[in-house]
Amino acid sequence: LCHSRWVADRFHALYPHAAVACVPMPVLLEVASGGEVGGRVPSASVFGEGKQLIAFLGLMRAYKGVDMLVEAWGRADIPEGARLLLAGESYLGRGRLQSMVAACPRSDSIIVEDRYLSDREFLGIIAAVDLLVFPYRRASQSGLVPMAAAAATPILASDAGGLGEQCSALEGVETFRAGDAESLASALRRCFARMQSPSRSASRQSGTGALLTSCHRSGQGQ
């Protein structure tokens, strides 16, 4: 079983006689029944009404391109008050995350939560942010994409491998060339330009409810 055709093709090249089934990644998150979303990670309200909150979420590893996102954040035309949240455990090496953030011209607009995140915190971030960014240099797919799609959270993703394939099935996903910081910066500009849709708030509210229902029914861990 493979979660993307990109992976299935590579597996089939190694094992041409094996049976391969391609099954898209479902929503994989176990959530306690009832209660509200949220957690220790700051919600959008912390930064003021109308101020955009952009996020990278999950384990920070070199292939996920967090450094490139920070570089692009420094290059792009960022609206006043916009914030970038980097949330999840960093595996980039001792002090590297802090160093790359400090070197960014807009370091004062970057919030770092370098720690383990609970399932409920994942939900809280996805529900709060205006854009979830997947700056991966390479990828087979991402378990966070179905969650963001279920919550109607806008997605900005690279076209790397199975990630590009996964996002191509969704509407309204902004993409950029994998490994290209300038392409990512341009995509960020386009995303900020699209964030003023009058129907956006209603779709996010209904999407978050659908995400909670879907996660509770799945009963699966991350």
Coordinates of all heavy atoms in Angstrom, one line a residue, residues 51-126:
K51 N -4.7 40.3 11.6 CA -3.3 40.1 11.4 C -3.1 38.7 11.0 O -3.4 37.8 11.8 CB -2.5 40.6 12.6 CG -2.6 42.1 12.8 CD -1.7 42.5 14.0 CE -1.8 44.0 14.2 NZ -1.0 44.4 15.4
Q52 N -2.5 38.4 9.9 CA -2.3 37.1 9.4 C -1.3 36.2 10.2 O -0.3 36.7 10.6 CB -1.9 37.1 7.9 CG -2.9 37.7 7.0 CD -2.7 39.2 6.7 OE1 -2.0 39.9 7.5 NE2 -3.2 39.8 5.7
L53 N -1.7 35.0 10.4 CA -0.9 34.0 11.1 C -0.5 32.9 10.1 O -1.4 32.2 9.7 CB -1.5 33.5 12.3 CG -0.8 32.5 13.1 CD1 0.5 33.1 13.6 CD2 -1.6 32.0 14.3
I54 N 0.7 32.8 9.7 CA 1.2 31.7 8.8 C 2.0 30.7 9.6 O 2.6 31.1 10.6 CB 2.1 32.3 7.7 CG1 1.6 33.6 7.2 CG2 2.4 31.3 6.6 CD1 0.2 33.5 6.6
A55 N 1.9 29.4 9.2 CA 2.6 28.4 10.1 C 3.2 27.3 9.3 O 2.7 26.9 8.3 CB 1.6 27.9 11.1
F56 N 4.3 26.8 9.9 CA 4.9 25.5 9.5 C 4.6 24.7 10.7 O 4.9 25.1 11.9 CB 6.4 25.6 9.2 CG 7.0 24.3 9.1 CD1 7.2 23.6 7.9 CD2 7.5 23.6 10.3 CE1 7.7 22.4 7.8 CE2 8.0 22.3 10.2 CZ 8.2 21.7 9.0
L57 N 4.1 23.5 10.5 CA 3.7 22.6 11.6 C 4.3 21.2 11.5 O 4.3 20.6 10.4 CB 2.2 22.5 11.6 CG 1.5 21.7 12.7 CD1 1.9 22.2 14.1 CD2 0.0 21.7 12.5
G58 N 4.9 20.7 12.6 CA 5.4 19.3 12.5 C 6.9 19.3 12.8 O 7.5 20.3 13.1
L59 N 7.4 18.0 12.8 CA 8.8 17.9 13.1 C 9.7 18.6 12.1 O 9.4 18.6 10.9 CB 9.2 16.4 13.0 CG 8.5 15.5 14.0 CD1 9.0 14.0 13.8 CD2 8.8 15.9 15.5
M60 N 10.7 19.4 12.6 CA 11.5 20.2 11.7 C 12.8 19.4 11.3 O 13.7 19.2 12.1 CB 11.9 21.5 12.3 CG 10.7 22.3 12.7 SD 11.1 24.0 13.4 CE 9.7 24.2 14.5
R61 N 12.8 18.9 10.1 CA 13.9 18.2 9.6 C 14.5 18.9 8.3 O 13.7 19.7 7.7 CB 13.6 16.7 9.3 CG 13.0 16.0 10.5 CD 12.8 14.5 10.1 NE 12.2 13.8 11.2 CZ 12.9 13.3 12.3 NH1 14.2 13.4 12.3 NH2 12.3 12.6 13.2
A62 N 15.7 18.6 8.0 CA 16.4 19.4 6.9 C 15.6 19.3 5.6 O 15.4 20.3 4.9 CB 17.8 18.9 6.7
Y63 N 15.0 18.1 5.3 CA 14.4 17.9 4.0 C 13.0 18.7 3.9 O 12.5 18.9 2.8 CB 14.1 16.5 3.7 CG 13.0 15.8 4.4 CD1 11.7 15.8 3.9 CD2 13.2 15.2 5.6 CE1 10.7 15.2 4.6 CE2 12.2 14.5 6.3 CZ 10.9 14.6 5.8 OH 9.9 14.0 6.5
K64 N 12.5 19.2 5.0 CA 11.3 19.9 5.0 C 11.4 21.4 4.7 O 10.4 22.1 4.6 CB 10.6 19.7 6.4 CG 10.1 18.3 6.6 CD 9.2 18.1 7.9 CE 8.7 16.7 8.0 NZ 7.8 16.6 9.2
G65 N 12.6 21.8 4.6 CA 12.8 23.2 4.0 C 12.4 24.3 4.9 O 12.1 25.4 4.5
V66 N 12.5 24.2 6.3 CA 12.2 25.2 7.2 C 13.1 26.4 7.0 O 12.7 27.6 7.0 CB 12.3 24.8 8.6 CG1 12.0 25.9 9.6 CG2 11.3 23.6 8.9
D67 N 14.4 26.1 6.7 CA 15.4 27.2 6.5 C 15.0 28.0 5.3 O 15.1 29.3 5.2 CB 16.8 26.6 6.3 CG 16.9 25.6 5.2 OD1 15.9 24.9 4.9 OD2 18.0 25.5 4.6
M68 N 14.5 27.4 4.2 CA 14.1 28.1 3.0 C 12.8 28.9 3.3 O 12.7 30.0 2.7 CB 13.8 27.0 1.9 CG 13.6 27.6 0.5 SD 13.5 26.4 -0.7 CE 12.1 25.4 -0.1
L69 N 11.9 28.4 4.1 CA 10.8 29.2 4.5 C 11.2 30.5 5.2 O 10.6 31.6 4.9 CB 9.8 28.4 5.4 CG 8.6 29.1 5.9 CD1 7.8 29.7 4.8 CD2 7.8 28.1 6.8
V70 N 12.1 30.4 6.1 CA 12.6 31.6 6.9 C 13.3 32.5 5.9 O 13.1 33.8 6.0 CB 13.6 31.1 8.0 CG1 14.2 32.4 8.6 CG2 12.8 30.3 9.0
E71 N 14.0 32.0 4.9 CA 14.7 32.9 3.9 C 13.6 33.6 3.1 O 13.7 34.8 2.8 CB 15.6 32.0 3.0 CG 16.3 32.8 2.0 CD 17.1 32.0 1.0 OE1 17.4 30.8 1.4 OE2 17.6 32.5 0.0
A72 N 12.6 32.9 2.6 CA 11.6 33.4 1.8 C 10.8 34.5 2.6 O 10.3 35.5 2.0 CB 10.6 32.3 1.3
W73 N 10.6 34.2 3.9 CA 9.8 35.2 4.7 C 10.6 36.5 4.8 O 10.0 37.6 4.8 CB 9.7 34.6 6.1 CG 8.8 35.4 7.1 CD1 9.3 36.2 8.0 CD2 7.4 35.4 7.1 NE1 8.2 36.8 8.7 CE2 7.0 36.3 8.1 CE3 6.4 34.8 6.4 CZ2 5.7 36.6 8.5 CZ3 5.1 35.0 6.7 CH2 4.7 35.9 7.7
G74 N 11.9 36.4 4.8 CA 12.7 37.7 4.8 C 12.7 38.4 3.5 O 12.9 39.6 3.4
R75 N 12.4 37.7 2.4 CA 12.4 38.3 1.0 C 11.0 38.8 0.6 O 11.0 39.8 -0.1 CB 12.8 37.2 0.0 CG 14.2 36.7 0.1 CD 14.5 35.9 -1.1 NE 15.8 35.2 -1.1 CZ 16.3 34.5 -2.1 NH1 15.6 34.3 -3.2 NH2 17.5 33.9 -2.0
A76 N 10.0 38.2 1.0 CA 8.6 38.5 0.5 C 8.1 39.8 1.1 O 8.6 40.3 2.1 CB 7.7 37.3 0.9
D77 N 7.1 40.4 0.4 CA 6.4 41.6 0.9 C 5.4 41.1 1.9 O 4.3 40.7 1.5 CB 5.7 42.3 -0.3 CG 6.8 42.8 -1.3 OD1 7.8 43.2 -0.9 OD2 6.4 42.7 -2.5
I78 N 5.7 41.2 3.2 CA 4.8 40.7 4.2 C 4.0 41.9 4.8 O 4.5 42.9 5.1 CB 5.7 40.1 5.4 CG1 6.6 39.0 4.8 CG2 4.8 39.6 6.5 CD1 5.9 37.9 4.2
P79 N 2.7 41.7 4.9 CA 1.8 42.8 5.4 C 2.2 43.1 6.9 O 2.7 42.2 7.6 CB 0.4 42.2 5.4 CG 0.5 41.1 4.3 CD 1.9 40.6 4.4
E80 N 2.0 44.3 7.3 CA 2.3 44.7 8.6 C 1.5 43.9 9.6 O 0.3 43.7 9.5 CB 2.0 46.2 8.8 CG 2.4 46.7 10.2 CD 2.1 48.2 10.3 OE1 1.7 48.8 9.3 OE2 2.3 48.7 11.5
G81 N 2.2 43.4 10.6 CA 1.5 42.6 11.7 C 1.4 41.1 11.4 O 1.1 40.3 12.3
A82 N 1.8 40.7 10.2 CA 1.7 39.2 9.9 C 2.8 38.5 10.7 O 3.9 39.1 10.9 CB 1.9 39.0 8.4
R83 N 2.5 37.3 11.0 CA 3.4 36.5 11.8 C 3.6 35.1 11.2 O 2.7 34.5 10.6 CB 2.9 36.3 13.3 CG 2.7 37.6 14.1 CD 4.1 38.2 14.4 NE 4.1 39.4 15.2 CZ 4.0 40.6 14.7 NH1 4.0 40.8 13.4 NH2 4.0 41.6 15.5
L84 N 4.8 34.6 11.4 CA 5.2 33.2 11.0 C 5.4 32.4 12.2 O 6.3 32.7 13.1 CB 6.4 33.2 10.1 CG 7.0 31.9 9.7 CD1 6.0 31.1 8.9 CD2 8.3 32.0 9.0
L85 N 4.6 31.3 12.4 CA 4.8 30.4 13.5 C 5.5 29.1 13.0 O 5.0 28.5 12.1 CB 3.4 30.1 14.1 CG 3.3 29.0 15.1 CD1 4.1 29.4 16.4 CD2 1.9 28.6 15.5
L86 N 6.6 28.8 13.7 CA 7.3 27.5 13.4 C 7.1 26.6 14.6 O 7.6 26.9 15.7 CB 8.8 27.8 13.2 CG 9.2 28.8 12.1 CD1 10.7 29.0 12.1 CD2 8.7 28.4 10.8
A87 N 6.2 25.6 14.5 CA 5.8 24.8 15.6 C 6.1 23.4 15.5 O 5.7 22.8 14.5 CB 4.3 25.1 15.9
G88 N 6.8 22.8 16.4 CA 7.2 21.4 16.4 C 8.6 21.2 16.8 O 9.3 22.2 17.0
E89 N 9.0 20.0 17.1 CA 10.3 19.7 17.5 C 11.3 19.8 16.4 O 11.2 19.3 15.3 CB 10.4 18.3 18.1 CG 9.6 18.0 19.4 CD 9.7 16.6 19.8 OE1 9.0 15.8 19.2 OE2 10.4 16.3 20.8
S90 N 12.4 20.5 16.7 CA 13.5 20.8 15.7 C 14.5 19.7 15.8 O 15.1 19.3 16.8 CB 14.2 22.1 15.9 OG 15.3 22.3 15.0
Y91 N 14.8 19.1 14.6 CA 15.9 18.1 14.4 C 17.0 18.7 13.4 O 17.6 17.9 12.7 CB 15.4 16.8 13.9 CG 14.5 16.1 15.0 CD1 13.2 16.4 15.2 CD2 15.1 15.1 15.7 CE1 12.5 15.7 16.1 CE2 14.4 14.4 16.7 CZ 13.0 14.7 16.9 OH 12.3 14.1 17.9
L92 N 17.1 20.0 13.4 CA 18.0 20.7 12.5 C 19.4 20.8 13.1 O 20.3 21.3 12.4 CB 17.5 22.1 12.2 CG 16.1 22.1 11.5 CD1 15.6 23.5 11.3 CD2 16.1 21.4 10.2
G93 N 19.6 20.4 14.3 CA 21.0 20.5 14.9 C 20.9 21.6 16.0 O 20.2 22.6 15.9
R94 N 21.8 21.5 16.9 CA 21.8 22.4 18.1 C 21.9 23.8 17.7 O 22.9 24.2 17.0 CB 22.9 22.0 19.1 CG 22.9 22.8 20.4 CD 24.0 22.4 21.3 NE 23.9 21.0 21.7 CZ 23.1 20.6 22.7 NH1 22.5 21.6 23.4 NH2 23.0 19.4 23.1
G95 N 21.0 24.6 18.0 CA 21.1 26.1 17.8 C 20.8 26.5 16.3 O 20.8 27.7 16.1
R96 N 20.7 25.6 15.4 CA 20.5 26.0 14.0 C 19.2 26.8 13.7 O 19.2 27.8 13.0 CB 20.6 24.8 13.1 CG 20.7 25.2 11.6 CD 20.8 24.1 10.7 NE 20.7 24.5 9.3 CZ 20.3 23.8 8.3 NH1 20.0 22.5 8.5 NH2 20.2 24.2 7.0
L97 N 18.1 26.3 14.3 CA 16.9 27.0 14.1 C 16.9 28.4 14.6 O 16.5 29.3 14.0 CB 15.7 26.2 14.8 CG 14.3 26.8 14.8 CD1 13.9 26.9 13.3 CD2 13.3 26.0 15.6
Q98 N 17.4 28.6 15.8 CA 17.5 29.9 16.4 C 18.4 30.8 15.6 O 18.1 32.0 15.4 CB 18.1 29.8 17.9 CG 17.1 29.2 18.9 CD 17.0 27.6 18.7 OE1 17.8 27.0 18.0 NE2 15.9 27.1 19.3
S99 N 19.5 30.2 15.0 CA 20.4 31.0 14.3 C 19.8 31.5 13.0 O 20.0 32.7 12.6 CB 21.7 30.2 13.9 OG 22.4 29.9 15.1
M100 N 19.1 30.6 12.3 CA 18.5 31.0 11.0 C 17.4 32.1 11.2 O 17.2 33.0 10.4 CB 18.0 29.8 10.2 CG 16.8 29.1 10.9 SD 16.1 27.8 9.8 CE 17.5 26.6 9.8
V101 N 16.6 31.9 12.3 CA 15.6 32.9 12.6 C 16.2 34.3 13.0 O 15.8 35.3 12.5 CB 14.7 32.4 13.8 CG1 13.8 33.6 14.3 CG2 13.9 31.2 13.4
A102 N 17.3 34.3 13.8 CA 18.0 35.5 14.1 C 18.6 36.2 12.9 O 18.6 37.5 12.9 CB 19.1 35.2 15.1
A103 N 18.9 35.5 11.9 CA 19.5 36.1 10.7 C 18.5 36.6 9.8 O 18.8 37.4 8.8 CB 20.4 35.0 10.0
C104 N 17.2 36.3 10.0 CA 16.2 36.8 9.1 C 15.9 38.3 9.4 O 15.8 38.7 10.5 CB 14.9 36.0 9.3 SG 13.5 36.5 8.3
P105 N 15.7 39.1 8.3 CA 15.5 40.5 8.5 C 14.2 40.8 9.2 O 14.0 41.9 9.8 CB 15.4 41.1 7.1 CG 16.2 40.1 6.2 CD 15.9 38.7 6.9
R106 N 13.3 39.8 9.2 CA 12.0 40.0 9.9 C 11.9 39.0 11.1 O 10.8 38.4 11.3 CB 10.8 39.7 8.9 CG 10.7 40.7 7.8 CD 9.4 40.6 7.0 NE 9.3 41.6 6.0 CZ 9.7 41.5 4.8 NH1 10.2 40.4 4.4 NH2 9.5 42.5 3.9
S107 N 13.0 38.8 11.8 CA 13.0 37.9 12.9 C 12.0 38.2 14.0 O 11.5 37.3 14.7 CB 14.4 37.8 13.5 OG 14.8 39.1 14.0
D108 N 11.7 39.5 14.1 CA 10.7 39.9 15.2 C 9.3 39.5 14.9 O 8.4 39.5 15.7 CB 10.8 41.4 15.4 CG 10.4 42.2 14.1 OD1 10.5 41.6 13.0 OD2 10.1 43.4 14.2
S109 N 9.0 39.0 13.6 CA 7.7 38.5 13.3 C 7.6 37.0 13.3 O 6.6 36.5 12.8 CB 7.3 39.1 11.9 OG 8.1 38.6 10.9
I110 N 8.6 36.3 13.7 CA 8.7 34.9 13.7 C 8.6 34.3 15.2 O 9.3 34.8 16.0 CB 10.0 34.3 13.1 CG1 10.1 34.8 11.6 CG2 10.0 32.8 13.1 CD1 11.4 34.4 11.0
I111 N 7.6 33.4 15.4 CA 7.4 32.8 16.7 C 7.8 31.4 16.6 O 7.4 30.7 15.6 CB 5.9 32.8 17.1 CG1 5.4 34.3 17.1 CG2 5.7 32.2 18.5 CD1 4.6 34.6 15.9
V112 N 8.7 30.9 17.5 CA 9.2 29.5 17.5 C 8.6 28.8 18.7 O 8.7 29.2 19.8 CB 10.7 29.5 17.5 CG1 11.2 28.1 17.6 CG2 11.3 30.2 16.3
E113 N 8.0 27.6 18.4 CA 7.6 26.7 19.4 C 8.3 25.4 19.2 O 7.8 24.5 18.5 CB 6.1 26.5 19.4 CG 5.2 27.7 19.8 CD 5.2 27.8 21.3 OE1 5.4 26.8 22.0 OE2 4.9 28.9 21.8
D114 N 9.5 25.3 19.7 CA 10.4 24.1 19.4 C 10.2 23.1 20.5 O 10.9 23.1 21.6 CB 11.9 24.6 19.4 CG 12.8 23.4 19.2 OD1 12.4 22.3 19.0 OD2 14.0 23.6 19.2
R115 N 9.1 22.3 20.4 CA 8.8 21.3 21.4 C 7.8 20.3 20.8 O 7.2 20.5 19.7 CB 8.2 22.0 22.6 CG 6.9 22.8 22.3 CD 6.4 23.4 23.6 NE 5.2 24.2 23.3 CZ 4.0 23.7 23.2 NH1 3.8 22.4 23.3 NH2 2.9 24.5 22.9
Y116 N 7.5 19.3 21.6 CA 6.5 18.3 21.2 C 5.1 19.0 21.3 O 4.8 19.7 22.2 CB 6.5 17.1 22.2 CG 5.3 16.2 22.0 CD1 5.3 15.2 21.1 CD2 4.2 16.3 22.9 CE1 4.3 14.3 20.9 CE2 3.1 15.4 22.7 CZ 3.2 14.5 21.7 OH 2.1 13.6 21.5
L117 N 4.3 18.6 20.3 CA 2.9 19.2 20.2 C 1.9 18.0 20.3 O 2.0 17.0 19.7 CB 2.7 19.9 18.9 CG 3.6 21.1 18.6 CD1 3.3 21.5 17.1 CD2 3.3 22.2 19.5
S118 N 0.9 18.2 21.2 CA -0.1 17.2 21.3 C -1.1 17.2 20.1 O -1.1 18.2 19.4 CB -0.9 17.4 22.6 OG -1.7 18.6 22.5
D119 N -1.9 16.2 20.0 CA -2.9 16.1 18.9 C -3.8 17.3 19.0 O -4.1 17.9 17.9 CB -3.7 14.8 19.0 CG -2.9 13.6 18.6 OD1 -1.8 13.8 18.1 OD2 -3.5 12.5 18.7
R120 N -4.2 17.7 20.2 CA -5.2 18.8 20.3 C -4.5 20.1 19.9 O -5.1 21.0 19.4 CB -5.7 18.9 21.7 CG -6.8 19.9 21.9 CD -7.7 19.5 23.0 NE -8.5 18.3 22.8 CZ -9.6 18.3 22.0 NH1 -10.0 19.3 21.5 NH2 -10.2 17.1 21.9
E121 N -3.2 20.2 20.2 CA -2.5 21.4 19.8 C -2.4 21.5 18.2 O -2.5 22.6 17.7 CB -1.1 21.5 20.4 CG -1.1 21.8 21.9 CD 0.2 21.7 22.5 OE1 0.9 20.7 22.5 OE2 0.7 22.8 23.1
F122 N -2.2 20.4 17.6 CA -2.2 20.3 16.1 C -3.5 20.9 15.6 O -3.5 21.7 14.7 CB -2.0 18.9 15.6 CG -0.5 18.5 15.4 CD1 0.3 18.2 16.4 CD2 0.0 18.5 14.1 CE1 1.6 17.8 16.2 CE2 1.3 18.2 13.9 CZ 2.1 17.8 14.9
L123 N -4.6 20.4 16.2 CA -5.9 20.9 15.8 C -6.0 22.4 16.0 O -6.6 23.2 15.2 CB -7.0 20.2 16.5 CG -7.3 18.8 16.0 CD1 -8.4 18.1 16.9 CD2 -7.8 18.8 14.6
G124 N -5.6 22.9 17.2 CA -5.7 24.3 17.5 C -4.9 25.2 16.5 O -5.4 26.2 16.1
I125 N -3.7 24.8 16.1 CA -3.0 25.5 15.2 C -3.6 25.6 13.8 O -3.8 26.6 13.2 CB -1.5 25.0 15.1 CG1 -0.8 25.2 16.4 CG2 -0.8 25.7 14.0 CD1 0.5 24.5 16.5
I126 N -4.0 24.4 13.4 CA -4.7 24.3 12.0 C -5.9 25.2 12.0 O -6.2 25.8 11.0 CB -5.0 22.9 11.7 CG1 -3.7 22.1 11.5 CG2 -5.9 22.8 10.4 CD1 -3.9 20.6 11.3

